[in-house]
Amino acid sequence: MTGETLNAFRMAQQQFDHVADLLHLDPSIREFLRWPMREFHFRIPVRMDDGEIRIFQGYRVQHNDARGPNKGGLRFHPSETIDSVRALATWMTWKCAVADIPLGGSKGGVIVDPSTLSIGEKERLVRGWVQQMWTNIGPRRDVPAPDVGTTPQMMGWMMDEYSKLVGNYTPGVITGKPVGGGGSLGRTEATGYGVIYTIREAFKRLGMDPKKSTASIQGFGNVAQYAAIGFKDILGGSVICVSYWDRDDRKAYTVSNDTDFDPVFLQSITDQYGAINKEKAVAAGYMIEDADAWLKKEVEVIIPAALEGQINAESVHWINPSVKMIAEGANGPTTPEADAVIKEKGIFMIPDFLCNSGGVTVSYFESVQNDGNYYWPKQEVLDKEDHILTRAFNDVYEMAESEKVYMRDAAYMVAIARVVKAMQLRGWV
Ligand code: GLU
């Protein structure tokens, strides 16, 4: 990042304001949607393994629940702020609306580096989070899920804590749970595969051959791993690199292999936070390059699947002229300044809350299965996800064509219209 440090919420408001202008949105509706409806800030005391009590800062932001219960992940990250949680909650509202699933938007966070905690400390921290929030979450109120730094196992502990507090087994309070513990088959792959379903639709519209295309991916967490696997296995294309954060060196690296890139192998040498074992990668013929190398590669598709603000006013100029498409697996990877350059260059954009909506879509299926106490086979889950994402992509694409607007603006137009309609039908505005 150069210049001012990124404020993701300012970025989310800027994107929204731009489309609110295009839509001539009523001032009161605009005022309502620019801010979250509710926020919770709380302290979580946790007994650490050494016997000391450590206090963690927790958040939950509920942006809008006009279309259904609030829905969104829980992020554990050392640089989490209330503004990053606000931004992510706001994007969840648009994400659920663009996927047209009957849920609102929320997000939670804890300021912590989870890799520094033992298993027991993690369990006590997530149970502590539920103890602070349980009266304000629930299957009909607000349903958390995993995000950066949180895992299915943590969701399982949180479901257990909530069930104990309310006195009833309540699997639908949280999604992204482990399979066998109330989770849905296909949830692990869902976000990354969803990215691939939207890329497939974009290839069709742009007349590109997936088998002849190459991709470069930023990140190697849950989203990036399954996007890489899906790009190869579902689309028949090739991936040439991913990147990851090396905790020992305290910096990111790009791991590349132009001829023989195997995401399943890399997944097998990766820890639960997406860190690749450098020595094993090198021994298997991979090259270790600097953090930004992924963005400069000569490929047709780039998939930022890490954190916010990675393609910004400076780094946008590093994008190789060969790039035809950006598929945003991460939330908020592109700043408004970079968007203006991308639009100018004519690179096709699949915006974040459309591109990565597969995760929350399968979370929705998980809660439906929990409610019905009946679990679907994996292929059924993935086929239903594909159906929803294909429709969502085409709704946005058609809006972009008919209104002659950038894909991100079109996605906002589709999402805002649906949320406003629900608010009007409920008599809020
Ligand atoms: N954290 C994911 C996202 O940003 C999934 C949210 C969910 O499943 O509720 O979309």
Side-chain angles (χ1 to χ4, degrees):
M1 284 299 300
T2 51
E4 207 188 351
T5 47
L6 179 87
N7 182 311
F9 187 49
R10 201 168 313 135
M11 189 174 129
Q13 286 188 320
Q14 232 175 301
Q15 293 170 342
F16 170 77
D17 286 342
H18 172 63
V19 179
D21 286 343
L22 293 178
L23 292 171
H24 304 291
L25 209 62
D26 180 273
S28 57
I29 295 178
R30 192 177 170 131
E31 201 39 42
F32 199 123
L33 289 171
R34 287 189 94 237
W35 282 90
M37 290 176 67
R38 283 175 294 274
E39 294 187 357
F40 304 87
H41 302 218
F42 45 90
R43 309 291 274 170
I44 311 170
V46 176
R47 174 85 59 196
M48 306 302 280
D49 289 348
D50 63 8
E52 297 290 318
I53 298 275
R54 195 169 136 196
I55 311 298
F56 293 89
Q57 178 63 42
Y59 301 110
R60 185 73 177 170
V61 173
Q62 298 173 343
H63 175 261
N64 190 287
D65 54 11
R67 287 173 46 86
N70 291 107
K71 186 83 193 77
L74 253 193
R75 199 160 80 162
F76 284 12
H77 197 271
S79 44
E80 199 67 77
T81 65
I82 183 61
D83 275 342
S84 56
V85 184
R86 283 175 177 149
L88 293 159
T90 309
W91 288 323
M92 284 309 302
T93 301
W94 311 134
K95 192 179 301 190
C96 293
V98 99
D100 209 3
I101 54 179
L103 298 167
S106 58
K107 202 82 171 198
V110 174
I111 304 176
V112 61
D113 177 353
S115 69
T116 63
L117 303 179
S118 71
I119 292 176
E121 289 166 345
K122 276 187 252 190
E123 176 172 356
R124 294 192 288 281
L125 175 58
V126 297
R127 287 187 186 276
W129 194 95
V130 174
Q131 286 157 17
Q132 298 300 319
M133 275 302 298
W134 71 279
T135 53
N136 289 293
I137 58 173
R140 301 285 170 267
R141 190 177 282 219
D142 185 3
V143 183
D147 198 270
V148 174
T150 54
T151 60
Q153 174 61 77
M154 293 182 186
M155 303 302 117
W157 289 322
M158 293 173 78
M159 182 276 278
D160 178 72
E161 189 66 23
Y162 181 87
S163 296
K164 281 176 176 153
L165 288 163
V166 298
N168 285 303
Y169 173 62
T170 315
V173 66
I174 217 152
T175 61
K177 299 180 294 296
V179 171
S184 173
L185 290 167
R187 178 66 185 81
T188 306
E189 297 86 347
T191 316
Y193 281 10
V195 168
I196 297 305
Y197 300 147
T198 64
I199 294 175
R200 184 196 61 210
E201 293 306 300
F203 275 150
K204 283 186 203 159
R205 295 288 193 161
L206 301 179
M208 288 167 69
D209 182 355
K211 295 195 172 51
K212 291 200 183 113
S213 60
T214 49
S216 161
I217 302 180
Q218 185 192 30
F220 205 53
N222 171 266
V223 181
Q225 287 175 21
Y226 289 97
I229 292 171
F231 200 87
K232 250 187 113 182
D233 295 354
I234 301 175
L235 298 179
S238 31
V239 177
I240 61 163
C241 68
V242 294
S243 73
Y244 79 96
W245 176 255
D246 194 289
R247 277 190 305 281
D248 297 332
D249 299 355
R250 303 211 55 74
K251 58 196 261 208
Y253 292 109
T254 298
V255 179
S256 61
N257 188 331
D258 291 357
T259 50
D260 205 10
F261 188 96
D262 178 1
V264 176
F265 164 73
L266 284 182
Q267 197 179 35
S268 74
I269 57 163
T270 301
D271 75 9
Q272 59 171 315
Y273 302 104
I276 294 171
N277 183 313
K278 235 192 311 175
E279 289 68 39
K280 288 188 183 164
V282 171
Y286 288 78
M287 241 169 70
I288 308 292
E289 301 182 78
D290 69 30
D292 302 322
W294 74 276
L295 193 52
K296 301 174 182 168
K297 295 282 180 189
E298 193 182 331
V299 289
E300 283 73 42
V301 182
I302 55 174
I303 308 177
L307 293 170
E308 304 93 81
Q310 301 298 307
I311 304 179
N312 51 51
E314 185 191 358
S315 64
V316 69
H317 298 291
W318 304 339
I319 297 175
N320 195 292
S322 61
V323 171
K324 306 259 179 323
M325 188 190 301
I326 301 178
E328 296 185 321
N331 292 310
T334 306
T335 65
E337 297 75 23
D339 257 336
V341 177
I342 290 164
K343 198 169 152 185
E344 180 69 36
K345 289 188 182 195
I347 302 174
F348 187 80
M349 169 64 76
I350 311 178
D352 52 0
F353 63 79
L354 167 65
C355 190
N356 69 31
S357 61
V360 75
T361 297
V362 175
S363 275
Y364 165 59
F365 296 154
E366 182 175 330
S367 62
V368 170
Q369 293 170 81
N370 291 154
D371 279 349
N373 202 17
Y374 177 74
Y375 290 81
W376 312 336
K378 183 167 176 180
Q379 200 52 48
E380 185 176 341
V381 172
L382 294 176
D383 289 347
K384 284 186 158 80
E385 177 194 353
D386 191 352
H387 179 78
I388 288 205
L389 264 74
T390 298
R391 194 191 51 202
F393 177 89
N394 287 300
D395 286 350
V396 172
Y397 186 84
E398 276 152 27
M399 177 68 89
E401 290 284 287
S402 70
E403 299 303 309
K404 308 218 172 335
V405 292
Y406 187 50
M407 278 289 280
R408 189 184 315 283
D409 296 342
Y412 267 100
M413 286 176 166
V414 169
I416 292 172
R418 288 179 183 159
V419 175
V420 169
K421 184 174 180 197
M423 294 202 301
Q424 286 167 335
L425 289 171
R426 294 182 69 164
W428 291 3
V429 289

